Amino acid sequence: MRRELFEEAYRKFWDFIEAQETPRYRCNSYDLCDLVSKAEWCIPFVGFMVDGELRESINELNAWMCYLDDLKVWLEVLKSYGEEDAWSLRVHFVEPLVRYCMLQPSSSRDRLGQVAANGAHQANLCVDADYKDVLDQDKLRPGQFMSRKKLEAQLARLLKAWKSGEQLIEALQRMDSETYRQQTYDYRNEASHFIAPRVEFGEVQFVKRRKIPFLEVIKQEDGTARLIKNLEKPRVAYVIGGIRPLTLAEIIEINSQEYDFAVAALRTYSDLLREALPQIAARQKTREANASKQSENS
């Protein structure tokens, strides 16, 4: 690795950015956050919680968008380098961005699911006098998190009273789908628990140890025999054939779609909050009016 190589590549990176006519970043708006923090939630300081979680969710999506845009620039810059230099530049500039972006579909689905559950729960407390301040995760030990299946099942219950509820669940479940995991060779799980696919060059996990069905010979009445898979008697096998590398172009294409799904989920959650805020305000006025009448009568 040479200092001159990295300096030259980084200059090209910024030259490419500055040559673009349209604004590079299209940040998601924080306008709704102020409305959320100023609302009269029925529990003191809850507005700071709902507002803070919404802001952090927007922060994460904006960071994801910026890193994706950086990857698009590096895709163009690397075209001007030979294989060896491009490899060095990818390791230094590109692969950390790839890892961040490729983990976002899973983490964003879980994060937005939990954020939406908290927001919907607090809205329910404000507008429904019979609603109880109880959530499924209350039974967990500190530091534990609910599984995605349980979290989204709870969220579906919390959203029943809201028009945006069904659309929010559908938007969340578009992220980190089985199709995405297949397209990326389950990058997120492999990166978190084992060895992730590489970028551009090099196969990984070329030999895998697996359990496969035991092949049993069954004799036929005509004297012939046939093999059947006995699923109750698995055996160990070593299978050749690794995970191919993902190209930077396909990473950008697949991950960009996941980013769009995440933005759609955030917008649907924002629709839920916009639906809830007027009802929260109306409920607060009703409570104040009732309290005033009681004070006058006493």
Side-chain angles (χ1 to χ4, degrees):
M1 293 189 291
R2 308 185 312 278
R3 173 174 177 167
E4 294 79 6
L5 170 66
F6 289 91
E7 290 177 344
E8 177 193 64
Y10 202 47
R11 280 195 298 271
K12 288 184 178 181
F13 174 84
W14 278 103
D15 288 345
F16 189 92
I17 291 172
E18 292 171 352
Q20 295 181 17
E21 296 180 359
T22 57
R24 182 162 175 251
Y25 296 137
R26 305 165 303 283
C27 290
N28 298 284
S29 172
Y30 295 87
D31 292 348
L32 180 59
C33 297
D34 291 335
L35 298 177
V36 169
S37 65
K38 293 175 182 177
E40 295 289 340
W41 299 85
C42 57
I43 298 175
F45 305 113
V46 157
F48 292 111
M49 181 185 78
V50 181
D51 166 36
E53 292 178 356
L54 177 61
R55 285 182 187 274
E56 289 305 317
S57 299
I58 296 171
N59 286 342
E60 291 286 354
L61 288 187
N62 286 343
W64 184 2
M65 174 202 62
C66 292
Y67 291 152
L68 257 176
D69 281 355
D70 285 351
L71 287 177
K72 294 173 186 176
V73 176
W74 281 115
L75 178 63
E76 298 304 317
V77 170
L78 291 175
K79 291 177 181 178
S80 61
Y81 289 94
E83 182 177 313
E84 185 174 344
D85 286 343
W87 191 315
S88 297
L89 295 171
R90 274 198 307 275
V91 170
H92 187 79
F93 291 112
V94 175
E95 292 188 8
L97 303 181
V98 166
R99 190 178 184 90
Y100 178 91
C101 291
M102 293 290 278
L103 298 183
Q104 286 308 299
S106 176
S107 61
S108 294
R109 177 170 172 175
D110 294 338
R111 181 190 313 111
L112 289 172
Q114 183 61 66
V115 167
N118 289 342
H121 177 64
Q122 295 303 324
N124 290 340
L125 283 169
C126 289
V127 302
D128 184 352
D130 297 324
Y131 185 83
K132 306 300 181 184
D133 191 3
V134 177
L135 288 169
D136 294 349
Q137 59 261 39
D138 296 342
K139 300 175 184 177
L140 299 177
R141 295 192 302 272
Q144 284 189 316
F145 294 90
M146 287 200 301
S147 69
R148 177 179 293 176
K149 183 178 180 180
K150 291 181 178 179
L151 174 62
E152 293 181 0
Q154 173 180 247
L155 179 60
R157 297 197 306 272
L158 298 175
L159 294 173
K160 283 183 178 179
W162 304 101
K163 295 178 182 178
S164 307
E166 186 174 344
Q167 291 88 346
L168 177 52
I169 291 293
E170 291 175 356
L172 280 174
Q173 293 180 344
R174 290 191 192 102
M175 284 189 284
D176 194 35
S177 65
E178 183 62 30
T179 298
Y180 174 76
R181 290 193 289 272
Q182 290 176 358
Q183 289 174 327
T184 59
Y185 302 106
D186 203 15
Y187 183 100
R188 181 265 174 189
N189 280 321
E190 295 291 350
S192 299
H193 306 294
F194 195 37
I195 300 172
R198 301 195 65 171
V199 182
E200 293 290 350
F201 290 102
E203 289 191 2
V204 296
Q205 302 184 45
F206 189 67
V207 178
K208 298 180 181 179
R209 184 180 184 275
R210 291 180 176 172
K211 279 190 173 182
I212 63 174
F214 178 74
L215 294 178
E216 192 170 355
V217 179
I218 303 296
K219 292 184 179 180
Q220 307 296 299
E221 293 182 357
D222 60 2
T224 61
R226 68 186 182 94
L227 294 175
I228 65 167
K229 293 180 179 179
N230 189 332
L231 300 178
E232 296 180 357
K233 293 182 179 180
R235 66 183 181 87
V236 172
Y238 292 85
V239 181
I240 295 178
I243 301 175
R244 75 161 178 86
L246 294 164
T247 68
L248 184 54
E250 67 184 327
I251 287 171
I252 291 170
E253 180 181 0
I254 296 168
N255 199 250
S256 294
Q257 185 179 52
E258 292 293 310
Y259 169 76
D260 290 340
F261 289 155
V263 170
L266 175 67
R267 288 175 179 168
T268 309
Y269 174 53
S270 298
D271 291 342
L272 169 69
L273 291 174
R274 289 190 176 93
E275 179 186 352
L277 289 176
Q279 295 188 41
I280 293 171
R283 185 77 179 185
Q284 178 63 19
K285 287 183 180 179
T286 300
R287 283 194 291 266
E288 290 174 355
N290 291 338
S292 178
K293 287 180 181 180
Q294 289 177 359
S295 176
E296 292 173 359
N297 293 334
S298 63

